[in-house]
């Protein structure tokens, strides 16, 4: 099939490249010349494991090309997949990029006689596709929906594993305006991907995406709430509690006597909070969507409330342990929102750094690859905040350290190394990657999420 992808962020580009590798003819559209040039030269403009080699394969087979010319791309293809950003701001998601893209597509559909399906892949709150998007398309094209197709096909791609998630999907959800739209979008996947294809209506498809992300985020906030309760009581370790919880066969079925350890259970883990470009934005958007419908989604709101206080709780505990943060050198280990990414968006590290600085600590934040991005969000300020990519210099003579991102290079720091480098060996472990007993045996003061300080 000939497919146009509008927007080449991590969702759009991964979608385009994977569909091209699966044999489709893909045209990626982006407004930025530098991104288009880079894609056509088979250089991925974003870092995503496995993407570069698939992009090279797709470009060399001439199955994929990029352009800034949306009109030509829509004219030459059967489906336009819209994968532009929908950032959250001012209490709701910002639809301006979606609106602009579909208006431009609608303008082209005015002149296009052949049937064309517009398929929204960006995360949008329920009813967006069959109200806002549909109205814009009908107005711009002068045609009623049905003469062109309309679909909503949410993505379930994790940053850092997006290629793998796309190539091996667990479900393909297609929200469709009518049967013809559904059948067209289904042809993109059928026979090429092994996963159940669910046909739903447009607004259900939109809701599936929010419900999925809210559930995963809820598991994390639930774990963090259990952790906070454990912290109030001597002798209860949240890790032991949650491990036992997830051994319930309803969470962890056995196959031939062996535990299957579903990946979902990894979200049942306490820490200093979730981040990234999706969970915080989607949970907030779902809560405000519910509010707009006259329903206050208390549990969804609590997910964010817990997540916002979780990093601050860790800083308070550290402050108590070292008797005040004023003028103290604190090493922050990790600024990326999770390991294996340089993405710092909504990272708990940002909240922790800001809180430490508010309390007049001298912060040295260290990350193997994300310091540049962190510096764009919270610029370095000489001695009160600086960045480093070397954990040794960050820990050298530090009064305390906070582990925020569970990078393997941080897990490998031994208790002895901490003690040797630091002035005062106090560590707040926001991901529970270190063993409390070994740390304490080496002389460290260890503060762990879900473990009491008493
Ligand atoms: C998330 C979802 O997992 C994807 O299914 C979804 O498609 C994507 O959002 C999206 O909406 O586009 P992503 O934000 O890349 O993907 O990150 P995750 O790997 O799920 O991590 C999200 C947060 O959960 C991070 O803060 C991470 O530290 C935390 N997390 C993740 C855990 O606490 N434990 C884990 O095992 C995994």
């Amino acid at each position: 099939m000939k497919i146009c992808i509008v927007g080449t962020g991590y969702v759009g580009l991964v979608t385009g490249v994977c569909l091209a590798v699966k044999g489709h003819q893909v045209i990626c559209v982006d407004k930025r010349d530098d991104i288009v040039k880079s894609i056509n030269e088979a250089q991925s403009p974003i870092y995503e494991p496995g993407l570069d080699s698939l992009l090279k394969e797709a470009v060399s087979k001439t199955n994929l090309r990029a352009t800034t010319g949306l009109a030509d791309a829509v004219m030459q293809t059967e489906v336009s997949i819209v994968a532009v950003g929908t950032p959250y701001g001012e209490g709701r998601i910002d639809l301006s990029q979606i609106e602009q893209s579909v208006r431009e597509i609608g303008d082209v559909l005015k002149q296009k006689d052949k049937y064309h399906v517009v398929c929204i892949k960006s995360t949008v709150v329920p009813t967006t596709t069959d109200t806002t998007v549909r109205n814009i398309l009908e107005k711009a094209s002068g045609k009623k929906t049905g003469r062109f197709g309309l679909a909503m096909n949410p993505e379930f791609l994790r940053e850092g594993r997006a290629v793998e998630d796309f190539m091996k999907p667990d479900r393909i959800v297609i929200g469709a305006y009518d049967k013809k739209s559904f059948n067209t979008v289904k042809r993109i996947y059928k026979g090429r991907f092994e996963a159940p294809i669910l046909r739903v209506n447009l607004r259900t498809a939109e809701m599936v995406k929010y419900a999925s992300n809210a559930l995963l985020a809820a598991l994390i906030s639930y774990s963090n709430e259990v952790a906070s309760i454990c912290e109030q009581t001597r002798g209860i370790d949240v890790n032991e509690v949650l491990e036992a919880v997830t051994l319930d066969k309803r969470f962890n079925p056995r196959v031939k006597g062996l535990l299957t350890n579903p990946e979902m259970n990894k979200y049942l883990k306490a820490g200093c909070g979730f981040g990234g470009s999706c969970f915080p934005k989607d949970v907030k958007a779902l809560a405000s969507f519910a509010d707009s419908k006259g329903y206050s989604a208390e549990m969804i709101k609590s997910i964010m409330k817990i997540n916002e206080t979780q990093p601050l709780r860790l800083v308070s505990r550290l402050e108590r342990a070292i008797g005040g943060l004023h003028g103290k050198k604190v090493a922050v280990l990790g600024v990326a929102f999770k390991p294996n990414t340089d993405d710092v968006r909504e990272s708990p590290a940002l909240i922790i750094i800001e809180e430490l600085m508010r309390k007049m600590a001298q912060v040295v934040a260290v990350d193997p690859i994300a310091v540049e991005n962190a510096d764009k969000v919270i610029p370095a300020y000489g001695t009160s905040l600086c960045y480093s990519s070397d954990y040794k210099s960050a820990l050298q003579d530090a009064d305390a350290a906070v582990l925020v991102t569970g990078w393997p290079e941080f897990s490998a720091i031994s208790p002895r190394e901490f003690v040797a480098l630091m002035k005062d060996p106090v560590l707040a472990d926001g991901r529970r990657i270190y063993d409390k007993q070994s740390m304490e045996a080496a002389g460290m003061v260890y503060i762990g999420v879900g473990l009491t300080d008493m």
Side-chain angles (χ1 to χ4, degrees):
M1 273 173 93
K2 290 188 173 167
I3 300 166
C4 160
I5 311 273
V6 183
T8 57
Y10 99 102
V11 172
L13 189 58
V14 168
T15 302
V17 169
C18 292
L19 292 179
V21 167
K22 289 280 186 179
H24 294 296
Q25 286 291 321
V26 175
I27 307 175
C28 288
V29 180
D30 204 287
K31 291 205 172 317
R32 279 178 52 184
D33 286 316
D34 55 333
I35 289 181
V36 164
K37 185 167 176 274
S38 159
I39 296 172
N40 285 330
E41 286 168 358
Q43 301 282 337
S44 173
I46 53 160
Y47 172 73
E48 199 51 51
L51 188 59
D52 237 4
S53 63
L54 291 189
L55 175 61
K56 287 192 173 52
E57 183 184 333
V59 172
S60 70
K61 280 186 183 159
T62 66
N63 277 7
L64 181 132
R65 69 181 173 85
T67 174
T68 51
L70 178 126
D72 268 359
V74 174
M75 278 307 235
Q76 289 171 35
T77 53
E78 216 175 318
V79 183
S80 291
I81 297 178
V82 179
V84 294
T86 50
Y88 185 85
E90 289 166 26
R92 60 194 183 92
I93 58 164
D94 173 2
L95 287 177
S96 54
Q97 293 180 53
I98 291 265
E99 287 167 358
Q100 196 186 342
S101 309
V102 295
R103 194 168 295 120
E104 288 175 24
I105 295 171
D107 283 340
V108 184
L109 295 184
K110 197 181 207 167
Q111 293 126 46
K112 186 173 177 181
D113 296 327
K114 275 196 183 158
Y115 185 72
H116 190 94
V117 177
V118 179
C119 177
I120 304 297
K121 199 171 253 309
S122 309
T123 300
V124 290
V125 294
T127 71
T128 304
T129 306
D130 66 5
T131 57
T132 311
V133 168
R134 184 177 167 191
N135 291 340
I136 294 173
L137 282 171
E138 289 191 347
K139 196 162 167 223
S141 67
K143 293 176 183 168
K144 283 270 164 225
T145 317
R147 287 186 61 201
F148 60 85
L150 188 58
M152 201 283 150
N153 173 216
E155 52 82 17
F156 305 103
L157 310 178
R158 286 164 295 180
E159 254 184 77
R161 290 171 76 176
V163 169
E164 177 195 335
D165 285 345
F166 197 97
M167 288 305 208
K168 291 185 193 143
D170 29 36
R171 77 283 213 200
I172 292 159
V173 176
I174 302 173
Y177 173 78
D178 56 12
K179 201 169 174 196
K180 196 170 176 190
S181 310
F182 172 72
N183 286 338
T184 308
V185 177
K186 188 173 152 192
R187 277 199 286 121
I188 298 176
Y189 297 102
K190 191 138 201 291
R192 290 182 163 89
F193 297 88
E194 271 177 46
I197 297 180
L198 269 81
R199 178 180 170 181
V200 292
N201 62 28
L202 295 166
R203 39 188 79 185
T204 304
E206 292 162 332
M207 188 65 185
V208 167
K209 169 70 191 201
Y210 283 99
S212 301
N213 273 1
L215 174 61
L216 294 168
L219 294 182
I220 298 174
S221 280
Y222 157 82
S223 307
N224 287 338
E225 179 127 277
V226 173
S228 300
I229 301 170
C230 293
E231 284 165 21
Q232 312 310 312
T233 323
R234 193 198 296 264
I236 309 179
D237 178 348
V238 73
N239 281 358
E240 291 177 0
V241 174
L242 292 174
E243 190 192 342
V245 168
T246 53
L247 281 173
D248 181 321
K249 59 177 170 294
R250 289 163 292 184
F251 286 105
N252 207 335
R254 283 165 194 260
V255 173
K256 293 186 185 151
L258 295 175
L259 289 171
T260 47
N261 277 324
E263 192 139 356
M264 181 71 114
N265 289 343
K266 290 201 188 138
Y267 292 80
L268 276 165
K269 174 106 177 39
C272 55
F274 59 77
S277 62
C278 306
F279 283 4
K281 161 179 98 91
D282 293 352
V283 174
K284 283 185 224 164
L286 182 58
S288 52
F289 170 69
D291 276 336
S292 76
K293 294 283 166 193
Y295 176 73
S296 179
E298 295 304 324
M299 186 185 143
I300 304 293
K301 287 178 184 168
S302 300
I303 295 173
M304 279 320 293
K305 227 169 157 180
I306 293 168
N307 198 56
E308 281 153 11
T309 51
Q310 195 67 0
L312 300 176
R313 289 174 55 81
L314 200 61
V315 176
S316 302
R317 290 174 69 195
L318 186 69
E319 184 178 21
R320 271 200 306 275
I322 63 172
L325 289 160
H326 198 287
K328 302 277 173 67
K329 178 182 175 184
V330 182
V332 174
L333 302 177
V335 288
F337 82 97
K338 64 178 183 181
N340 304 315
T341 176
D342 64 354
D343 195 342
V344 301
R345 282 175 291 177
E346 304 276 341
S347 171
L350 304 179
I351 301 179
I352 288 175
I353 291 171
E354 278 179 353
E355 182 68 358
L356 288 169
M357 286 175 59
R358 204 178 63 80
K359 303 216 167 206
M360 311 300 279
Q362 291 170 9
V363 181
V364 186
V366 54
D367 194 285
I369 57 172
V371 286
E372 243 178 71
N373 285 339
D375 188 39
K376 285 182 202 150
V377 193
I378 316 180
Y381 290 111
T383 53
S384 60
L385 171 63
C386 62
Y387 292 104
S388 167
S389 52
D390 164 30
Y391 74 84
K392 286 188 183 164
S393 66
L395 287 174
Q396 189 71 52
D397 298 324
D399 295 286
V402 189
L403 183 286
V404 182
T405 320
W407 283 101
E409 34 278 78
F410 297 150
S411 317
I413 308 173
S414 71
R416 273 216 234 144
E417 207 175 356
F418 272 111
V419 174
L421 289 167
M422 294 175 72
K423 187 160 118 203
D424 279 322
V426 182
L427 170 71
D429 183 355
R431 297 290 173 198
R432 294 292 302 273
I433 64 170
Y434 301 109
D435 176 52
K436 174 181 161 79
Q437 279 181 348
S438 322
M439 281 289 172
E440 288 179 343
M444 293 288 291
V445 174
Y446 180 86
I447 299 162
V449 173
L451 276 175
T452 181
D453 296 334
M454 291 179 268

